[in-house]
Amino acid sequence: MKAYFSKTIEEVMKEFNVSKGGISESQVKSHREKYGYNELAEVKKKSVFRVFLDQFKDLLVIILLIAAIVSMTTGSTESTIVIFAVIVLNAILGTVQHVKAEQSLNSLKALSSPIAKVIRDNQKHEILSKDVVPGDILVLEAGDYVPADGRIIENYSLQVNESSLTGESESVIKTSETILKDEVALGDQKNMVFSGSLVTYGRALVIVTNTGMNTEIGKIASLIETTKEKKTPLQVSLDNFGKKLATIILIISVIIFLLNMYRGVNILDSLMFAVALAVAAIPEALSSIVTIVLAIGTQKMAHENAIVKQLKAVESLGCVSIICSDKTGTLTQNKMKVRKIYTDDKIFNFDEFDLNNKIQNFLMNSSILCNDSSVENGTEIGDPTEVALVNLGKNYSLDELDIRKSYPRISEIPFDSDRKLMSTSHEVDGKYIMLTKGALDVLLPRIKYIATSEGISEFTSKDKILIENVNRGFSENGLRVLAFAYKEIKKDHILSLDDENEYTFLGLISMIDPPREESTKAVEDCINAGIKPIMITGDHKITASAIAKQIGILKSGDEALEGTELDKLSDEELKNKVENVSVYARVSPEHKIRIVRAWQEKGKVVAMTGDGVNDAPALKQADIGIAMGITGTEVSKDASSMILADDNFATIVKSVANGRNVYTNIKNSIKFLLSGNTAAILAVIYTSLASLPIPFAPVHLLFINLLTDSLPAIAIGLEKPKNDLLKEKPRNINAPILSKNFLKKILSEGILIAIFTMLAFHIGLKSGSAGVASTMAFSTLCLGRLFHGFNCRGDKSIFKIGVFSNIYSWIAFGIGLVLLNLVLILEPLKNLFEISSLNSTQFGYIYLLAVLPTIIIQVYKIIFKQDSASDSKEISVGENA
Ligand code: ATP
């Protein structure tokens, strides 16, 4: 059988029984049944059981097993049962959390899965790449990933980077010509495109020949690993902290064990002390709480149109100090409308076109012919700049499809944002004409003649000055200006970049693209939050500056810089200048990388938006690369860490607020968990040093750590963003979360709870037995930590934060309270959890001593923390000190 590259287009089309209008839905169905989904087989994921087993590879489990064995030897079978139950419960919780986190990541991934454009039943559709079937007609454009292997049937200067397949980093120029050979290396199959390669230029129609594992990449790729979410910097630093803590605690445990032995305490009791200490200290919930809070944060952001692709991004978002944003569509509405026109020495309104005037008529037709967009039954398809031109024609009852049928396109050089031009060629009244539209400053140096009502004349410097003045006038009003020019070419000449010169100037068409309503407020929020918003645009400097002024990005004293000016600056000079520049105009994607680097060298955390095929390197270089969900290319989405589903600048600012909130919440959860653990550690150390009985059995601490503490920690993680979140400077990304100041707070709050816990222990010892004392210490610690959950909701007093503003914290408190009381009251549970019976006075003491630390902390906050001081502010002060 002949290979597809050596078959004619007709042969391939016939084989799949398809026309250029695409296959029908019923064909899609039958092809899907025959060939399956367009997916590469993945390595099987870990089974839930495997995940469950993995939970036992934990230091905590080893310590617990020691505790279980010690309990068994001391004849305490109930304790042994409870400890084993706790080990299993811990593993189940770990498994559930793992599976949940995976599900939430998968659902986020699904939101950002790749899209393919196909023609089916004569209509263009956007579908998931995995739904592409052999026989589909694919539409490929610059910035797309090729979703399947296929034969090119219509080619418009297509260039494809096939490095993932051939290793060749240069783009390959494609053709639709049949290759009359039997065997051709993959890299030379110029009329084929292959799955996984990237369209860098031009466009094409392609008939899909192979999908999924039958594609070239499928044949060579071994099974792909499902991408594993790497740990975020926060998780890594907490893991490291956990490891250090474990080592220190093990050493202290051994010392305590030896000390007790030395003092003549029997070996089992000494061991129990040491084990209790270890159990008290290991913050087993820490890492999972961070994952849960991050995962919940990303879900919330997804609802608010920001799809975070990496958990890491949520953390960095809170530190963003520079937001570099595209103008068109992100700060503006991308709903262009033609306003003023200039041709033949006249400026007139969009509704004053005179189609009987030869030049005006030609300009109008050019704007429709050198144009890929269309408006069908009110549905706008294509680039809004071009749609505006089609709509202009509609005002005069001109149908773009009719005009394009009368003057068919012979060849084209597609628009690209580096070149800022687009050219097409047509046969017009027996002549062959090349039409070009684009940025005036790019087109102007290529103009040789000018069309006027008196005929074609030489383009003089006077003409040039006049046109530049008109352009300035349009731009100062925030209008986006397109220049039009043409020239005659030879019959059937296929256009190339060398043709883009020696033009005859035709005219200017300007259009308005109003700022988004929410942009001004978002820019203001940004500035208040210590974040510098910067506009980076391909548009003209004067237009960009006018819009930037309107929305508050360009303030007096700020500068606007053009790409050509930027080219003249060395990296060092740019670095010195960068703080004063708020607008970069006429930039190409390479400039974006330099701007990001300059800021990063100043130690700033930079978020950068991008949508084009060449934006990928800048998106990767930025700390947070942000792609546009609506107008962005697949490549830019792939390279970014976040996708804006609504392309809106305001959404970025909202995400920064969310990022800050998630970080603050995680920090508060950590404070809650670690201060509670500190209290337990201090109590064990104190009793051991003071030769008192052991205050907690390991089951007590497990009960607190695994049951009553987890819910308040999660509830703290769900705390809503506070109003003043965007009134503070961004957090320093290098500042450790566990700063000295933060650890001091944890220690002081831990000491406070420990003091009252030990008071309860002493009261228990006085009024009853060692068992009663232990029960009172456990209950006070447990309840004290539950109350402490309210303190950890924020830095200010609970009355300032809002007593009932986080309902989850009340639910968590309620559940903890019920669980504790069940254990204290129900006989079977009392046995299991080594609880002694308490009288009502002892109950009263527990409640009083448990609530006192919280009252003290709240009074302290009311006195000292009523102003805008908040956690993050304080920490940065502490860290700088
Ligand atoms: P941003 O980078 O903010 O999205 P932009 O959309 O204005 O800005 P580009 O799309 O790169 O940036 O456009 C740069 C310039 O190229 C425009 O100012 C305009 O003069 C010209 N231009 C834009 N679209 C087209 C097009 N479809 N055909 C020809 N020229 C165009």
Side-chain angles (χ1 to χ4, degrees), residues 325-330 334 336 370 383 385-386 415-422 437-441 480-483 535-540 586-587 592 611:
S325 171
D326 280 339
K327 170 178 72 72
T328 312
T330 315
N334 212 5
M336 314 259 181
C370 185
D383 175 5
T385 307
E386 298 193 340
F415 171 74
D416 87 85
S417 50
D418 266 337
R419 210 171 93 258
K420 299 182 174 51
L421 296 178
M422 167 176 178
K437 75 174 191 307
L440 177 70
D441 31 340
R480 178 182 175 88
V481 186
L482 278 183
M535 178 190 279
I536 301 191
T537 174
D539 215 338
H540 195 276
R586 285 282 188 254
V587 289
K592 288 187 165 184
D611 50 11

Side-chain angles (χ1 to χ4, degrees), residues 391-464:
N391 279 331
L392 175 70
K394 299 257 177 212
N395 286 340
Y396 297 87
S397 310
L398 296 175
D399 184 76
E400 70 280 15
L401 301 181
D402 286 349
I403 294 180
R404 289 173 194 164
K405 221 180 255 166
S406 310
Y407 308 107
R409 190 180 286 185
I410 299 166
S411 68
E412 69 180 58
I413 316 174
F415 171 74
D416 87 85
S417 50
D418 266 337
R419 210 171 93 258
K420 299 182 174 51
L421 296 178
M422 167 176 178
S423 300
T424 55
S425 64
H426 309 260
E427 191 188 334
V428 180
D429 306 332
K431 287 185 192 160
Y432 288 80
I433 302 282
M434 170 180 185
L435 302 173
T436 298
K437 75 174 191 307
L440 177 70
D441 31 340
V442 182
L443 206 53
L444 218 44
R446 304 161 190 239
I447 302 285
K448 212 165 170 203
Y449 309 99
I450 182 164
T452 64
S453 37
E454 276 127 48
I456 311 288
S457 53
E458 284 285 330
F459 190 67
T460 62
S461 52
K462 210 173 124 210
D463 293 326
K464 186 167 175 260

Side-chain angles (χ1 to χ4, degrees), residues 582-770:
S582 297
V583 174
Y584 294 87
R586 285 282 188 254
V587 289
S588 18
E590 307 87 74
H591 293 129
K592 288 187 165 184
I593 302 192
R594 288 192 64 201
I595 300 166
V596 173
R597 285 214 184 109
W599 276 113
Q600 283 174 333
E601 271 174 34
K602 288 191 151 274
K604 302 290 181 189
V605 178
V606 187
M608 160 79 81
T609 67
D611 50 11
V613 52
N614 299 330
D615 283 338
L619 289 170
K620 282 197 180 138
Q621 175 72 35
D623 300 275
I624 306 269
I626 304 172
M628 300 297 136
I630 304 170
T631 55
T633 53
E634 287 302 307
V635 186
S636 61
K637 290 182 196 169
D638 197 52
S640 60
S641 40
M642 188 170 121
I643 299 173
L644 291 185
D646 58 358
D647 290 12
N648 190 344
F649 178 78
T651 304
I652 308 178
V653 183
K654 231 191 268 170
S655 315
V656 171
N658 276 323
R660 288 184 177 191
N661 188 45
V662 166
Y663 188 85
T664 310
N665 288 351
I666 288 179
K667 201 160 176 184
N668 288 336
S669 298
I670 293 173
K671 187 163 110 187
F672 169 72
L673 292 172
L674 291 188
S675 51
N677 281 11
T678 307
I681 299 167
L682 292 176
V684 175
I685 294 180
Y686 163 75
T687 48
S688 162
L689 294 180
S691 302
L692 293 167
I694 184 164
F696 316 112
V699 280
H700 292 156
L701 297 168
L702 286 175
F703 178 86
I704 298 177
N705 279 0
L706 292 175
L707 291 179
T708 52
D709 256 13
S710 329
L711 290 179
I714 296 176
I716 292 167
L718 295 177
E719 197 72 28
K720 288 193 202 105
K722 312 274 183 312
N723 288 339
D724 52 7
L725 210 58
L726 283 179
K727 288 193 185 130
E728 292 156 16
K729 296 261 161 303
R731 168 171 60 86
N732 174 0
I733 195 155
N734 295 319
I737 187 160
L738 299 160
S739 63
K740 264 194 210 146
N741 197 38
F742 186 57
L743 290 174
K744 257 194 242 161
K745 268 192 201 171
I746 290 174
L747 188 67
S748 52
E749 288 171 13
I751 290 175
L752 200 62
I753 300 173
I755 290 173
F756 286 93
T757 302
M758 283 303 92
L759 253 173
F761 185 65
H762 279 289
I763 292 171
L765 275 182
K766 271 224 166 111
S767 66
S769 59

Side-chain angles (χ1 to χ4, degrees), residues 471-479 542-543 546-547:
N471 178 52
R472 186 168 315 114
F474 287 171
S475 304
E476 276 167 356
N477 286 315
L479 296 176
I542 304 176
T543 310
I547 306 267

